[in-house]
Amino acid sequence: MERLSERLRVLRSPLVATERASAQLRYQLGSVLDDAEHPGDPTIATDLRTAHLADEIGATRAMLGVHPVESVRVAIEMFAVLLPLVVREVRASGGDDDALCEAAGTLEASIMRRVGLGAVSYASYLLKKVNNSHRDERNRIARELHDRVAHSIGVAMQELELHEIYVKRDSDRARQKISAARALMEEALAAVRETAQELHDSASDHGGLRKALSDYAAAHVPAGIEMITALSGDLATMPLAVSEELYIILREAIRNAVQHAGPRTIRVTVEVRESKALAKVEDDGCGFDVTMTGSGIGLRSMSERVELLDGHFMITSAEGSGTTVSITIPVPGAS
């Protein structure tokens, strides 16, 4: 364990940074040696604690944002540390070349089995996060349709019912009810069109992130709010999937500012440099106490999407001082 820890510290691996991670590695070392000592023993290879630990490790590393390559590096170093020990023990017990090959093969298979179990758990955790993010987005759209569209249509129906009551005895009031119903239906239609446009907008379409942000601002930012957009760097180095997720995150931040902050100005900046995309959405609105705000669906969705991109998400705000949403996402290859 000490040799493995030393090698991983040289590699600056995050997997020896905590006592919990070290304890997990120590148990893994022991169980791998059990496999090598008892090749072909099904009771060893199907150890439930080992499988559970591999599953827990995979989920924990995904939750902490530890890249899967770190698990592979640990597997390589673990094999390098354990192989000389296995060779020595097999030879000391009089084992021949066949026994040596069998022990070495069992060692490799044991390590890779744990890597595989952890990878499945890692992917399952991220898939769950993606599903949660999509569910939150669907819930938000459902609220928009219920609160705006369904409400307007419901009130319009009431106005039409009142029109039926007044049409024979008060023609002026009946016309007012028809006019009110028409206005409400136009409001509902506008809400449906806005939602449909929002669903259609994509940074993956022709024009990329810049055009998607411009189109969203034109459709959803009121005329009384000035929106300033500044994009720089080689945006083309961002993979389309990353650009699309970043657009959704920025869109949510802009929507929050419009709906809750009452700003005069919203400024959106995106800069791609040094293998990173640095983005901010700043408003000069009312601000809020971030320590008193729960994990609302919008904030949780933004945070989870950034996490899935292996990035960093931060909100700074204070009452009366506006709000800044800061996002950092790795972009390999960006200069």
Side-chain angles (χ1 to χ4, degrees), residues 24-73:
Q24 290 174 338
L25 278 179
R26 184 176 289 107
Y27 179 82
Q28 293 278 52
L29 280 169
S31 62
V32 166
L33 285 175
D34 284 341
D35 285 352
E37 189 175 6
H38 305 280
D41 187 338
T43 62
I44 298 295
T46 57
D47 177 29
L48 293 179
R49 183 181 175 191
T50 296
H52 175 75
L53 180 61
D55 186 70
E56 174 191 324
I57 289 173
T60 300
R61 290 175 185 175
M63 181 175 62
L64 297 177
V66 178
H67 198 278
V69 73
E70 296 295 341
S71 297
V72 176
R73 292 167 73 183

Side-chain angles (χ1 to χ4, degrees), residues 76-129:
I76 293 171
E77 297 304 319
M78 184 179 290
F79 185 81
V81 166
L82 292 182
L83 182 60
L85 174 62
V86 169
V87 170
R88 186 186 69 201
E89 293 297 323
V90 170
R91 286 177 173 169
S93 63
D96 56 14
D97 288 347
D98 288 341
L100 184 60
C101 288
E102 183 181 21
T106 301
L107 176 65
E108 180 188 25
S110 177
I111 292 174
M112 295 313 298
R113 183 168 68 91
R114 287 160 176 77
V115 172
L117 290 170
V120 170
S121 175
Y122 190 102
S124 296
Y125 177 87
L126 293 183
L127 181 60
K128 182 179 178 181
K129 298 285 279 185

Side-chain angles (χ1 to χ4, degrees), residues 157-301:
M157 293 295 294
Q158 293 175 4
E159 295 291 346
L160 291 174
E161 290 172 359
L162 291 172
H163 166 266
E164 293 295 327
I165 295 173
Y166 290 122
V167 69
K168 293 181 180 179
R169 64 184 186 188
D170 191 337
S171 58
D172 289 340
R173 181 167 287 188
R175 283 193 296 271
Q176 292 173 5
K177 296 303 178 184
I178 284 291
S179 297
R182 180 183 294 111
L184 287 163
M185 293 301 291
E186 290 174 350
E187 181 181 319
L189 180 60
V192 169
R193 284 174 172 166
E194 286 180 13
T195 303
Q197 182 64 40
E198 185 175 320
L199 292 172
H200 178 267
D201 287 344
S202 169
S204 302
D205 293 337
H206 298 296
L209 184 61
R210 188 186 305 274
K211 185 175 186 302
L213 288 171
S214 176
D215 290 347
Y216 181 80
H220 300 280
V221 177
I225 300 176
E226 180 184 13
M227 180 162 157
I228 303 169
T229 304
L231 285 75
S232 61
D234 191 359
L235 300 175
T237 58
M238 276 196 294
L240 288 178
V242 174
S243 183
E244 179 68 19
E245 287 298 307
L246 180 57
Y247 165 67
I248 293 173
I249 295 163
L250 295 174
R251 186 183 71 188
E252 184 65 33
I254 296 167
R255 179 192 295 111
N256 284 344
V258 170
Q259 291 185 350
H260 305 297
R264 295 184 301 275
T265 303
I266 299 174
R267 182 177 181 85
V268 180
T269 58
V270 179
E271 182 181 9
V272 179
R273 61 178 173 84
E274 298 177 356
S275 299
K276 292 192 292 281
L278 309 173
K280 284 186 179 181
V281 177
E282 303 169 276
D283 70 69
D284 58 0
C286 61
F288 63 97
D289 183 351
V290 294
T291 64
M292 299 298 292
T293 300
S295 56
I297 287 178
L299 296 181
R300 185 171 67 245
S301 176

Side-chain angles (χ1 to χ4, degrees), residues 212 297 307 326:
I297 287 178
E307 182 182 339
S326 302

